[in-house]
Every structure is written in C-alpha cells, then in structure tokens.
Amino acid sequence: MNTSAESAAFRFDYRPAAIRYGAGEIAHLGAELAACGVERALVVAGTTTGTTPAVIDPVTDGAGGRSADVFAETTSEKRLDTALAGAERYEALDADGVVALGGGSSLDVARAIRALVAHDERDAAVASFAETGALPVPDDLPPFVVVPTTLAGADLSLVGGLMATPANGHVDEAVAGGVSAPALMPDAAVYDPDLVATTPSDVLRASAMNGFDKGVESLYARTATPVTDGTAARGLRVLRESLPTLGGDDPAYGAAVRGTILVQYGIARPDATTLALIHAFGHGLTTHSAVQQGAAHAIVAPHVLDSLFERGDCRRDLLADALAVPSDADPAAGVVEAVTAVRDGLDLPTRLRDLDDVAEADLPAIAATTAADDLTENVPAGIDVSDDALTAVLRAAW
C-alpha cells in the first residue's frame, strides 16, 4: 500500500484490546478479568517483576480473588522451555485465563503459553516450531489481559518472539522464531503509570526508545494509513516532550505511557504492520549481540533515518510536523536531530563500537540478517535495503 498521496486508498483492519489507563487503575484488574469471564488467571511475570512486592502485590490485589497463582519465570531470552513450564502450571492450577505482567519478554512468553495450552497435540506444536521457527496458534485461546510495566509498546500486538536451544531439550539446534496470529491480541490492557514507575530507570529508558521508534516507523512505512498517521503523530509529540524527563527528578510517567499507547495503536494488524527498517536493524543486532533492543534502536535510528531521507521523501514533512521541527528548518535534518535529541535525553548508547560484543568485522553479517528480516518489506518503495546499503548504515553508526 502506497500512502504517499493523501487520496490513496487504504484498508484498516484492527481489533485492539480494551484499554484502561490511569494511576491506580490496576485496582480494577479484577473487573477486566470478570469482563473476559476469567475466574482463575495465571499471572505470567519475570523473575524479578513477579517477586517484587511493589509490583506484584497491586496486581494480585487488583485481581480481586481472580488470580490463581504467579508464574515468575520469564527472562529476556523468551525461552520455549519457559513457555512449556508455564503451560504445565496453567493446567495444574486449572486456570482459565492469562495475565501478562512486565515488558516484552513476559508478554511474548505469555502469548506462547496461551498457544500451548490450547493445543491438543503439544509435542506436535513443539516439533513444528523446531522445524519452522513458528509456533502454531489454535483458534480457541484462553482470555488474555496484559499489564505493561515498560514503554516498549509490545502490548497491543498479535506477535511474540520465542527462542529454543539444544540445552532446553526440545530442539537439536538453536531456533529463533515466535508466534503470530490475530487471536494473540490481548482482550484487555491495563496501563498504570504507578506500576511503570517501579521499573528500574535504565530498563525503562531503553524500552522507551523502542516504543518511540514505533511511532517514527508508523509514519514512514509503506503500510501507513490515515488512522495510524493520526495516532502515531500525536503519540510522538507526547513522547518527545515526556521521554527525556525519565532520567530526571520529575519523570512524566503518565504522559510517557499515554504516548506509548498512541504510537502502537494500529501498528500490528492481521494484514499488515508498520514496523520497518529501524526494527529490522534491532532484530539484526540482537541476533548477533547481547545488546537490548531499545539500546540497539538508540544507536542506529538517526543513521537509518538519515539514509532513508537520502534515498527518498519518506514522508519527512509529516514526521517533522509530528516531532515539532520548526517550519523554517530542513525537515529531514530536523527529524534526525529530534530523534537524536530524544535518544540523548534518555542517556542511551550512541555508537556500535561501544558494545562489548560487536566488532567492526561483524557489520556485514549483521547487515545480511537485517536485510533478510520481513520488516524490510515495509520500507518505502524504491529504497535500497541490500546487504551493502545496510552495511553502510552500520558503518555510519560504528
């Protein structure tokens, strides 16, 4: 879909979660579970998030007796064996719904748990993942409520990452893949800035760059629509003002959460996504390095945009307006400067050479992985996304 002209036809098929936002709104988690028909929810959380009283207590209290137990086992690796253990816990508890608490890792593992508990032939599903990298998703999934504690924008999504290694005992060689289906969209999402405020500052700031870039990409992707233009543009304005406060004395948690809701609204749809080259680079870098996704974005985003604007219009005027670039400034340069300012305000890494496990000799391999990523299909038409072109972007970021 080409939306370079305002009169271009478009199709917007989006079925989001019910959204509840506000400080203290986690107290109404039970109401959302009741609306989904859930009596015994398994709360899926990280090893830290799920055991920290300031985070988990408001969630279990807010569930109002509709929480069966807490499965505090997820990690940043998003392991298949963790999802399998979660599915076994779900069945042992006779649970009837899932609550995902935390960042993208917990939300992705929770999506895999939902798929696994719905399978009659779980071993066959695991074998399919080992062969294809895609975990099959049945139609009849248990209800799902997400409670995000970061700003990565992984909540209003119908995809999730998953990793398996031979050490897990389920595959013969490492498999990086995931789950994807319209049914994986949550039934409800509860956004409470008070819970987000419990997340360590360094983790929160890195996640914020990931979420911010979702708004940037929603405006230049070839799959953009007028609906996502509106939500992403408004969200970017809110985030540009609020994100740099996260490292200061008076963090604007509420505004940051609202902006994150807006920039991800409509980006993950059954027939399209607006994630594009920045996220593809994020996948390429995290495949070859232990760097966190948001930190990877922070390093490459200005250079990706600079490269895009050299090769095409890429809706620079719309981006410049969303990022409040002065009208008398060059829009392309102004957008790159605004994104850089957000990155620097979050005190995130700026150069690939500063990553401990990335060498300059690795750049062509990272570029090749990035070029093979499906998200490059969303880059505007006519933009070179070959290995050589992407290696040049990485060298600029080196």
Side-chain angles (χ1 to χ4, degrees):
M1 181 186 301
N2 186 341
T3 57
S4 59
E6 290 301 321
S7 59
F10 73 96
R11 182 174 186 271
F12 184 73
D13 178 12
Y14 184 54
R15 307 157 198 178
I19 297 171
R20 181 185 285 268
Y21 162 86
E25 285 297 296
I26 192 60
H28 301 289
L29 174 60
E32 296 300 336
L33 290 171
C36 297
V38 175
E39 297 287 343
R40 294 176 55 78
L42 176 67
V43 179
V44 178
T47 53
T48 299
T49 304
T51 57
T52 301
V55 186
I56 193 62
D57 287 355
V59 173
T60 53
D61 291 346
R66 295 178 185 269
S67 169
D69 198 6
V70 178
F71 178 73
E73 303 291 342
T74 69
T75 66
S76 59
E77 288 85 7
K78 307 178 183 181
R79 298 193 305 265
L80 172 63
D81 65 317
T82 307
L84 286 164
E88 292 177 1
R89 179 79 65 83
Y90 181 96
E91 292 175 337
L93 293 167
D94 194 25
D96 60 358
V98 177
V99 172
L101 169 67
S105 299
S106 293
L107 272 60
D108 286 0
V109 170
R111 289 185 174 95
I113 291 172
R114 291 179 74 211
L116 288 167
V117 299
H119 273 290
D120 293 329
E121 300 292 338
R122 189 169 303 168
D123 289 345
V126 172
S128 179
F129 177 79
E131 180 179 352
T132 67
L135 186 68
V137 180
D139 292 330
D140 190 17
L141 301 181
F144 187 37
V145 177
V146 295
V147 182
T149 61
T150 73
L151 301 171
D155 8 287
L156 301 181
S157 177
L158 41 79
V159 300
L162 200 60
M163 168 68 75
T165 66
N168 301 153
H170 303 291
V171 296
D172 295 327
E173 58 184 27
V175 179
V179 289
S180 178
L184 292 174
M185 178 67 72
D187 297 288
V190 179
Y191 296 90
D192 190 329
D194 290 344
L195 281 182
V196 172
T198 67
T199 302
S201 177
D202 58 337
V203 174
L204 191 62
R205 287 183 282 110
S207 75
M209 193 74 199
N210 193 345
F212 177 75
D213 287 335
K214 286 179 169 62
V216 172
E217 302 217 284
S218 285
L219 293 187
Y220 79 72
R222 71 166 73 191
T223 46
T225 71
V227 180
T228 50
D229 287 351
T231 53
R234 175 57 184 163
L236 283 176
R237 279 201 173 236
V238 173
L239 291 178
R240 187 185 180 187
E241 296 173 358
S242 60
L243 294 190
T245 71
L246 296 180
D249 296 330
D250 188 21
Y253 293 117
V257 173
R258 291 196 303 275
T260 303
I261 295 171
L262 287 168
V263 296
Q264 66 178 308
Y265 190 90
I267 67 170
R269 312 190 296 273
D271 58 353
T273 176
T274 57
L275 304 185
L277 192 53
I278 297 173
H279 278 78
F281 268 112
H283 295 163
L285 281 162
T286 55
T287 297
H288 292 268
S289 165
V291 64
Q292 195 271 345
Q293 185 86 225
H297 283 209
I299 295 170
V300 301
H303 303 286
V304 171
L305 292 168
D306 198 34
S307 176
L308 289 172
F309 293 144
E310 284 182 5
R311 292 167 170 78
D313 176 78
C314 298
R315 308 187 86 195
R316 62 187 67 191
D317 290 332
L318 183 58
L319 277 161
D321 183 64
L323 292 168
V325 173
S327 58
D328 59 349
D330 173 70
V335 169
V336 173
E337 181 179 347
V339 171
T340 302
V342 169
R343 187 268 310 276
D344 293 346
L346 291 168
D347 194 26
L348 294 174
T350 62
R351 305 187 306 177
L352 288 174
R353 69 181 62 211
D354 295 330
L355 301 180
D356 293 337
D357 57 354
V358 174
E360 190 169 9
D362 298 331
L363 301 187
I366 296 170
T369 301
T370 303
D373 194 289
D374 290 344
L375 296 181
T376 59
E377 297 175 4
N378 297 332
V379 174
I383 302 296
D384 185 3
V385 290
S386 65
D387 292 12
D388 288 345
L390 301 188
T391 299
V393 174
L394 292 171
R395 293 199 186 283
W398 177 252

